[in-house]
Amino acid sequence: MTTPSTPSASEAPSLVGEEYEVEVGPVAHGGHCIARTPGGRVLFVRHTLPGERVTARVTEGDESSRFLRADAVEVLEASPDRIPAPCPFSGPGKCGGCDWQHVAPGAQRRLKGAVVAEQLSRLAGLTPQEAGWDGTVEPAPGDKVAKGEVPAWRTRVQYAVDEDGQAGLRKHRSHEVQPVDHCLIAAPGVSELGVEKREWPQIAGVEAIAATGSNDRQVILTPRPGGRLPIVELDRPVSVMRVEERDGGVHRVHGRPFVRERAAGRTWRVGSGGFWQVHPKAADLLVEAVMQGLMPRKGEMALDLYCGVGLFAGAIAERVGETGAVLGIESGKRAVEDARHNLADLDRVRIEQGKVEQVLPKTGITEADLIVLDPPRAGAGRQTVARIAALGARRVVYVACDPAALARDLAYFREGGYKPRKLRAFDLFPMTHHVECVAILEPAAKGS
């Protein structure tokens, strides 16, 4: 006798296209709000706001799903924070690049603040007061715009290209391309290239980069399998790079293989594919926040973990002076080359290549005065946080692009004897759900 098997998720009846009239609850991490179907199943609904009543159409999920994803396709009772979306490509089934085009700018920051507070509470067991945070999300200088206006901030835009060679942006959680003729959040230097106005035969993707503080412009082309590179003629002088199909490496076609960025009083070489903050004001803003948190002193020893092209390492090195020392650790080979080039005049700085969790134990370092870490979206993790905490730094500054990862790692830091002294949140990604945080930590025993 055989036991009947349970139907797999793929065999369960799909609910895609089903519509429910729902009351919308709180905002959640990820650019959506929480609602429930009449049967009680959780709905993650985009294009809505807390307190609204909407018709939600399911976009993902079936009868076996723990939760469903949906779009608000009709607003029955609107929030006072709702505005007409300035972008014609924003809305259900359209571009997935922005989450909050339909929300007044000040309300966007309040939503992000609510998400940060919820993640701190749920994953770290911290109230805003315990985290040293006043609950606000600060706009970048120049980004405080009126309702209906959109700051043009994105200095790096990754365009996808459809089968007809038309550049556009991906739809939400989809490989499908939404052609666009202008992205409102693209920085002027990106828009001036005119990527959207020309066809891109045999190309799968075009990344457009407009440096801050220089006139450097670059496009990185990803050909379709077996595709040939077109002759690139854009509206401004531009260097061209190509992503190789066989190894995924980025190789120069013509022009400089890097762009020159300007921040913290220095010029920074950033090679193709290298990390640099996307908002033009972000680098200076974050350096200021990190230095205020660390308060470096002459002669101190500091670590810059996940150091990229050396932004924080350079700022720290200038403050600890010739008797101090800075060690940067970065996994990306090209970023390490750039960091060493950028900081070649500071002999007190050393840059090591490799993953932080692998390189840090091999350095032989048993103590440090100051530590800054700017990990990828997934965070640093328990093991790396434990090793950092064991070094006994008087100050640790954590730069985070994901509030959930930050909250998880703050809980690990508490296990290692560190507590938040101050936290700041910055709206460096307007119109999207993303938020940047800077947490300043110190030994919990201090002052107790």
Side-chain angles (χ1 to χ4, degrees):
M1 180 177 175
T2 59
T3 303
S5 60
T6 303
S8 67
S10 61
E11 295 171 341
S14 172
L15 293 175
V16 173
E18 290 291 318
E19 294 186 355
Y20 302 98
E21 189 175 307
V22 296
E23 299 279 355
V24 180
V27 64
H29 183 30
H32 46 249
C33 296
I34 298 174
R36 289 186 179 272
T37 68
R41 183 173 284 151
V42 171
L43 275 175
F44 290 142
V45 188
R46 283 173 57 82
H47 309 293
T48 188
L49 278 162
E52 291 191 325
R53 186 167 186 82
V54 302
T55 300
R57 180 182 297 153
V58 176
T59 56
E60 287 183 45
D62 57 41
E63 290 284 6
S64 68
S65 302
R66 290 189 303 109
F67 61 85
L68 306 173
R69 296 185 184 275
D71 285 339
V73 294
E74 184 182 6
V75 179
L76 306 174
E77 295 177 16
S79 164
D81 292 324
R82 177 177 283 275
I83 62 171
C87 177
F89 306 109
S90 175
K94 298 181 182 179
C95 173
C98 291
D99 306 291
W100 302 124
Q101 285 272 348
H102 61 286
V103 184
Q108 290 184 35
R109 293 190 288 274
R110 291 194 296 273
L111 290 172
K112 296 182 188 193
V115 169
V116 173
E118 190 270 339
Q119 297 295 302
L120 288 172
S121 174
R122 187 168 64 87
L123 299 175
L126 292 170
T127 64
Q129 293 75 19
E130 290 169 334
W133 179 43
D134 64 6
T136 63
V137 175
E138 306 170 43
D143 276 1
K144 207 164 184 179
V145 296
K147 287 183 180 181
E149 295 182 4
V150 177
W153 57 271
R154 194 170 186 91
T155 60
R156 296 175 177 227
V157 177
Q158 290 186 324
Y159 295 95
V161 180
D162 65 17
E163 297 289 345
D164 297 324
Q166 174 66 49
L169 299 164
R170 301 276 185 200
K171 297 184 178 182
H172 182 60
R173 294 175 59 84
S174 171
H175 292 294
E176 191 175 347
V177 179
Q178 168 67 63
V180 301
D181 55 24
H182 176 57
C183 175
L184 289 183
I185 65 172
V190 170
S191 297
E192 289 170 2
L193 293 176
V195 171
E196 305 102 328
K197 294 190 297 185
R198 64 156 293 161
E199 292 184 354
W200 298 93
Q202 302 186 61
I203 295 296
V206 181
E207 181 176 6
I209 299 169
T212 300
S214 80
N215 290 322
D216 291 352
R217 304 289 183 264
Q218 186 178 82
V219 293
I220 304 174
L221 305 181
T222 302
R224 294 188 183 278
R228 300 179 62 184
L229 221 59
I231 296 174
V232 178
E233 295 180 350
L234 292 173
D235 295 349
R236 293 288 186 275
V238 64
S239 62
V240 179
M241 308 293 289
R242 172 193 175 115
V243 178
E244 292 292 345
E245 183 180 343
R246 56 184 174 81
D247 62 3
V250 181
H251 301 276
R252 185 176 73 91
V253 177
H254 68 75
R256 289 192 186 97
F258 57 84
V259 296
R260 294 164 298 177
E261 302 281 0
R262 187 75 185 168
R266 299 174 71 92
T267 297
W268 305 87
R269 187 181 82 181
V270 183
S272 303
F275 174 77
W276 187 260
Q277 290 287 341
V278 178
H279 194 292
K281 302 293 178 61
D284 279 323
L285 192 63
L286 293 174
V287 166
E288 180 184 12
V290 168
M291 294 306 110
Q292 287 176 353
L294 290 177
M295 295 191 301
R297 302 167 186 162
K298 298 293 185 183
E300 289 192 310
M301 191 276 174
L303 299 178
D304 181 4
L305 307 180
Y306 316 92
C307 71
V309 299
L311 178 65
F312 298 133
I316 296 169
E318 291 178 352
R319 288 161 175 79
V320 299
E322 294 184 1
T323 58
V326 182
L327 171 65
I329 300 177
E330 165 61 36
S331 62
K333 182 179 179 181
R334 182 58 194 263
V336 168
E337 293 173 358
D338 288 338
R340 289 171 177 165
H341 170 86
N342 293 332
L343 304 176
D345 61 314
L346 299 171
D347 56 11
R348 53 193 172 274
V349 179
R350 188 169 99 247
I351 307 293
E352 296 288 347
Q353 185 193 345
K355 294 182 177 180
V356 169
E357 61 269 25
Q358 296 173 354
V359 173
L360 188 55
K362 297 177 182 177
T363 62
I365 294 172
T366 57
E367 58 183 27
D369 299 302
L370 305 170
I371 300 172
V372 58
L373 64 155
D374 185 2
R377 192 168 299 281
R382 185 190 297 269
Q383 185 176 355
T384 299
V385 167
R387 189 166 294 277
I388 292 170
L391 298 176
R394 68 173 179 84
R395 284 285 175 87
V396 175
V397 176
Y398 189 128
V399 182
C401 61
D402 184 90
L406 171 65
R408 283 192 296 268
D409 284 346
L410 287 181
Y412 301 147
F413 270 110
R414 182 171 55 222
E415 295 173 359
Y418 278 79
K419 65 178 181 181
R421 175 187 177 90
K422 186 175 182 179
L423 187 145
R424 295 176 71 185
F426 300 98
D427 188 13
L428 301 183
F429 311 91
M431 303 292 153
T432 79
H433 74 272
H434 299 290
V435 59
E436 194 89 6
C437 294
V438 176
I440 300 159
L441 311 175
E442 64 183 11
K446 186 175 181 179
S448 61

